[in-house]
Amino acid sequence: MSPLMRRDDGNGPRAEGATWVREFRDFLDSSDDDLTFTATIRVEWGRPANEPGTTTSYEDAGRQVRLLAQDVAGQRSVLRAEATEQDINYELRRRMPWLTEGIEIVWAQVSLHVDDHTRSTAERMAQLRREAALEELARQQTAARIRFMQDEILRTPATARLYLMLEQSTHHGALPPGIDIEQVVRDVQQWHPQAQWVVVAQLVYAFLANLTVEDRSDLLHTVRALFLEYGEKELAEQLPVTPREPSPGRPA
């Protein structure tokens, strides 16, 4: 820290009467965790006209400049030391002359320095943040693709086959061998969301979902009997019904 110096020559900015100059060094926090700028702060101040001097002027002048510099530096990375220094000094020039704490700051300047170890540490931290952001983006894209596959592609066999065809033709420039285009068209038409059987199946599913376990079992047994009545034994055997024991007075 340089000693306090009285300045009353004709060079540089002047307040009315004598001015004093102070230079000191400090560390300013940055936006990077536990990393700091090394700051050299120079300030010149005097007493406003008709204002008595105080014993704290020496500390107050440097404190006000330091607080302003910290406010700007705390929002910046140490990797942007030069730009941060420019913005601090621009804000200081904009305020001059600066009446504060019973003194008049007529000139101030802040120089910032970042050592090699701090800079390399900041670069590693920035690289880790970029990698973490890319990993998070990849996870989000994968989750979105899974939802798309579940909600759209795997909703029906027809859409799954169409998706496979598009993927194969995109990567290889041709459809995979053995694809029957006419059969795919029939599948798509058959599994169309507005196809009669699809609508009926959705309604039946919704109806069954709202029944109790006992009522659902009774309905499935009724459908099984209907299949058998129309000679569809194979369909009846595929129904997921469980055998039930006959209750007294009730046929099986």
Short mmCIF file of all heavy atoms in Angstrom, two decimals, residues 9-10 31 36 41 49 62 96 115 127 138 151 153 159 168 176 202 209 229-230 239 243 251:
data_model
loop_
_atom_site.label_atom_id
_atom_site.label_comp_id
_atom_site.label_asym_id
_atom_site.label_seq_id
_atom_site.Cartn_x
_atom_site.Cartn_y
_atom_site.Cartn_z
N ASP A 9 -0.29 20.12 -6.81
CA ASP A 9 0.36 20.68 -7.99
C ASP A 9 -0.69 20.94 -9.07
O ASP A 9 -1.87 20.69 -8.89
CB ASP A 9 1.47 19.76 -8.50
CG ASP A 9 0.96 18.35 -8.78
OD1 ASP A 9 -0.21 18.22 -9.17
OD2 ASP A 9 1.74 17.40 -8.60
N GLY A 10 -0.29 21.34 -10.21
CA GLY A 10 -1.24 21.69 -11.28
C GLY A 10 -1.54 20.56 -12.22
O GLY A 10 -2.13 20.79 -13.27
N SER A 31 -17.60 -14.06 -10.39
CA SER A 31 -18.76 -14.95 -10.47
C SER A 31 -18.34 -16.42 -10.44
O SER A 31 -19.19 -17.30 -10.33
CB SER A 31 -19.56 -14.68 -11.75
OG SER A 31 -18.75 -14.91 -12.90
N THR A 36 -10.79 -15.11 -7.56
CA THR A 36 -10.81 -13.65 -7.37
C THR A 36 -9.94 -12.93 -8.38
O THR A 36 -9.00 -13.49 -8.94
CB THR A 36 -10.33 -13.29 -5.95
OG1 THR A 36 -8.98 -13.76 -5.79
CG2 THR A 36 -11.22 -13.91 -4.88
N ILE A 41 -6.09 -0.34 -6.77
CA ILE A 41 -7.06 0.75 -6.74
C ILE A 41 -6.33 2.06 -6.42
O ILE A 41 -5.58 2.15 -5.43
CB ILE A 41 -8.16 0.49 -5.69
CG1 ILE A 41 -8.90 -0.82 -6.05
CG2 ILE A 41 -9.12 1.66 -5.58
CD1 ILE A 41 -9.90 -1.27 -5.01
N ALA A 49 -16.23 22.20 -0.85
CA ALA A 49 -16.16 23.55 -0.29
C ALA A 49 -17.05 23.66 0.94
O ALA A 49 -18.16 23.13 0.97
CB ALA A 49 -16.59 24.57 -1.35
N GLY A 62 -11.21 5.18 -0.39
CA GLY A 62 -10.89 3.87 -0.97
C GLY A 62 -12.05 2.90 -0.86
O GLY A 62 -12.28 2.09 -1.77
N MET A 96 -17.62 10.94 -11.79
CA MET A 96 -16.75 12.02 -11.33
C MET A 96 -17.30 13.40 -11.71
O MET A 96 -17.79 13.57 -12.83
CB MET A 96 -15.34 11.85 -11.91
CG MET A 96 -14.67 10.55 -11.50
SD MET A 96 -14.58 10.41 -9.70
CE MET A 96 -14.24 8.66 -9.53
N ASP A 115 -3.80 -14.21 -12.11
CA ASP A 115 -2.60 -15.02 -12.28
C ASP A 115 -2.91 -16.27 -13.11
O ASP A 115 -4.06 -16.64 -13.33
CB ASP A 115 -1.99 -15.40 -10.94
CG ASP A 115 -2.95 -16.20 -10.07
OD1 ASP A 115 -3.40 -17.28 -10.50
OD2 ASP A 115 -3.27 -15.74 -8.96
N GLN A 127 -15.06 -25.45 -18.81
CA GLN A 127 -15.17 -26.66 -19.63
C GLN A 127 -16.10 -27.68 -18.98
O GLN A 127 -16.92 -28.32 -19.66
CB GLN A 127 -13.78 -27.26 -19.84
CG GLN A 127 -13.76 -28.54 -20.67
CD GLN A 127 -14.25 -28.31 -22.09
OE1 GLN A 127 -14.10 -27.22 -22.63
NE2 GLN A 127 -14.83 -29.34 -22.68
N ALA A 138 -28.40 -33.85 -23.80
CA ALA A 138 -28.52 -35.20 -24.36
C ALA A 138 -29.58 -36.01 -23.61
O ALA A 138 -30.36 -36.75 -24.21
CB ALA A 138 -27.17 -35.91 -24.30
N ASP A 151 -45.57 -42.59 -27.34
CA ASP A 151 -46.86 -41.96 -27.63
C ASP A 151 -47.26 -42.04 -29.09
O ASP A 151 -48.47 -42.06 -29.41
CB ASP A 151 -46.83 -40.48 -27.21
CG ASP A 151 -46.61 -40.32 -25.72
OD1 ASP A 151 -46.83 -41.30 -24.98
OD2 ASP A 151 -46.21 -39.21 -25.30
N ILE A 153 -44.91 -43.61 -32.11
CA ILE A 153 -44.40 -44.67 -32.97
C ILE A 153 -44.93 -46.04 -32.58
O ILE A 153 -45.35 -46.83 -33.43
CB ILE A 153 -42.85 -44.69 -32.96
CG1 ILE A 153 -42.32 -43.32 -33.40
CG2 ILE A 153 -42.32 -45.78 -33.87
CD1 ILE A 153 -42.84 -42.85 -34.75
N THR A 159 -47.84 -47.81 -37.39
CA THR A 159 -46.93 -46.67 -37.26
C THR A 159 -45.51 -47.13 -36.96
O THR A 159 -44.55 -46.52 -37.40
CB THR A 159 -47.41 -45.72 -36.14
OG1 THR A 159 -47.57 -46.46 -34.92
CG2 THR A 159 -48.73 -45.07 -36.49
N GLN A 168 -34.90 -46.66 -42.18
CA GLN A 168 -34.05 -47.44 -43.09
C GLN A 168 -33.77 -46.68 -44.37
O GLN A 168 -32.63 -46.63 -44.84
CB GLN A 168 -34.73 -48.78 -43.41
CG GLN A 168 -34.82 -49.73 -42.23
CD GLN A 168 -33.46 -50.31 -41.87
OE1 GLN A 168 -32.58 -50.40 -42.71
NE2 GLN A 168 -33.31 -50.70 -40.61
N PRO A 176 -35.76 -51.45 -46.51
CA PRO A 176 -35.16 -52.74 -46.17
C PRO A 176 -35.77 -53.87 -47.00
O PRO A 176 -36.93 -53.81 -47.39
CB PRO A 176 -35.49 -52.90 -44.68
CG PRO A 176 -36.64 -51.99 -44.44
CD PRO A 176 -36.48 -50.85 -45.38
N GLN A 202 -61.32 -49.07 -28.33
CA GLN A 202 -61.02 -48.04 -27.33
C GLN A 202 -62.19 -47.86 -26.37
O GLN A 202 -62.00 -47.70 -25.16
CB GLN A 202 -60.69 -46.72 -28.03
CG GLN A 202 -59.35 -46.75 -28.76
CD GLN A 202 -59.11 -45.49 -29.58
OE1 GLN A 202 -60.07 -44.81 -29.99
NE2 GLN A 202 -57.85 -45.16 -29.81
N ALA A 209 -62.27 -50.62 -17.99
CA ALA A 209 -61.44 -49.99 -16.96
C ALA A 209 -62.26 -49.41 -15.82
O ALA A 209 -61.77 -49.27 -14.70
CB ALA A 209 -60.58 -48.90 -17.59
N GLU A 229 -70.87 -69.06 -29.27
CA GLU A 229 -72.16 -69.17 -29.94
C GLU A 229 -72.04 -68.95 -31.44
O GLU A 229 -72.76 -69.56 -32.24
CB GLU A 229 -73.14 -68.17 -29.33
CG GLU A 229 -74.55 -68.25 -29.91
CD GLU A 229 -75.49 -67.27 -29.26
OE1 GLU A 229 -75.15 -66.73 -28.19
OE2 GLU A 229 -76.57 -67.02 -29.83
N TYR A 230 -71.09 -68.08 -31.83
CA TYR A 230 -70.89 -67.80 -33.25
C TYR A 230 -69.79 -68.69 -33.86
O TYR A 230 -69.33 -68.44 -34.97
CB TYR A 230 -70.53 -66.34 -33.46
CG TYR A 230 -71.74 -65.42 -33.46
CD1 TYR A 230 -72.25 -64.92 -32.28
CD2 TYR A 230 -72.39 -65.09 -34.65
CE1 TYR A 230 -73.36 -64.09 -32.26
CE2 TYR A 230 -73.50 -64.26 -34.65
CZ TYR A 230 -73.98 -63.77 -33.44
OH TYR A 230 -75.09 -62.94 -33.45
N LEU A 239 -59.40 -65.15 -25.01
CA LEU A 239 -59.84 -64.13 -24.08
C LEU A 239 -59.20 -64.34 -22.71
O LEU A 239 -59.18 -65.46 -22.21
CB LEU A 239 -61.36 -64.14 -23.93
CG LEU A 239 -62.17 -63.37 -24.97
CD1 LEU A 239 -63.65 -63.57 -24.72
CD2 LEU A 239 -61.83 -61.89 -24.92
N PRO A 243 -61.17 -69.05 -14.88
CA PRO A 243 -62.29 -69.92 -14.52
C PRO A 243 -62.89 -69.47 -13.20
O PRO A 243 -62.20 -69.02 -12.29
CB PRO A 243 -61.65 -71.30 -14.40
CG PRO A 243 -60.37 -71.21 -15.16
CD PRO A 243 -59.91 -69.80 -15.01
N PRO A 251 -75.57 -70.50 -12.52
CA PRO A 251 -74.85 -71.40 -13.43
C PRO A 251 -73.47 -70.86 -13.73
O PRO A 251 -73.25 -69.65 -13.73
CB PRO A 251 -75.74 -71.39 -14.70
CG PRO A 251 -76.49 -70.11 -14.65
CD PRO A 251 -76.72 -69.84 -13.19
#
